Amino acid sequence: MSVEVRLDQGRLSRFLRLRGGIVERNLARRTSRVADIARGLAPGSMPQYIDWHIEEGAGGLQGVITCDHPATLWVLQGTRPHLIRARRAKALRFEVDGQIVFAKVVRHPGTRPNNFMGRALRVGR
């Protein structure tokens, strides 16, 4: 008894990459897991702005994770020391050691980069 099996590589590849197929479901599961990790590492209110989706790219399906928070770039890259000036009011108002303080100008010390998206990708692999 003889058995012969032939695989059509193109047809097999198209079958695996169908929308809703095995590859897309696996990619969605992995992308969702990395997005959840990024939400856990993101500071402040940024986790609410993290979302993910699957899209067709030049090389096939790809998982995309986005963060739409207005300060995302500053958190990822950090900031240098800079001055903050009152623009819409006469003074800035904030609390220091339980007391309310007013100032026209504040020297911000800057922030270190926090690449929570890159760390989530490395952890989620």
Side-chain angles (χ1 to χ4, degrees), residues 74-80 108-115:
W74 293 319
V75 170
L76 293 175
Q77 295 181 349
T79 60
R80 294 174 28 189
H108 190 284
T111 57
R112 285 191 169 143
N114 177 0
N115 190 359

Side-chain angles (χ1 to χ4, degrees), residues 2-3 5 19 24 51 71 75 77 83 86 93 96 105 119:
S2 171
V3 176
V5 177
R19 281 302 207 165
E24 183 179 12
D51 197 15
V75 170
Q77 295 181 349
L83 296 177
R93 179 186 184 269
V96 176
V105 178
R119 284 197 328 269

Side-chain angles (χ1 to χ4, degrees), residues 45-101:
S45 64
M46 279 192 188
Q48 300 167 16
Y49 292 86
I50 296 176
D51 197 15
W52 65 272
H53 65 276
I54 305 296
E55 66 182 35
E56 291 255 356
L61 296 175
Q62 46 190 340
V64 179
I65 301 171
T66 58
C67 182
D68 295 341
H69 192 279
T72 302
L73 194 58
W74 293 319
V75 170
L76 293 175
Q77 295 181 349
T79 60
R80 294 174 28 189
H82 57 280
L83 296 177
I84 301 174
R85 298 180 191 281
R87 290 175 29 192
R88 295 188 187 111
K90 291 183 180 181
L92 300 168
R93 179 186 184 269
F94 51 96
E95 191 173 319
V96 176
D97 295 330
Q99 288 191 320
I100 296 186
V101 178

Side-chain angles (χ1 to χ4, degrees), residues 22 89 123:
I22 297 167
V123 170

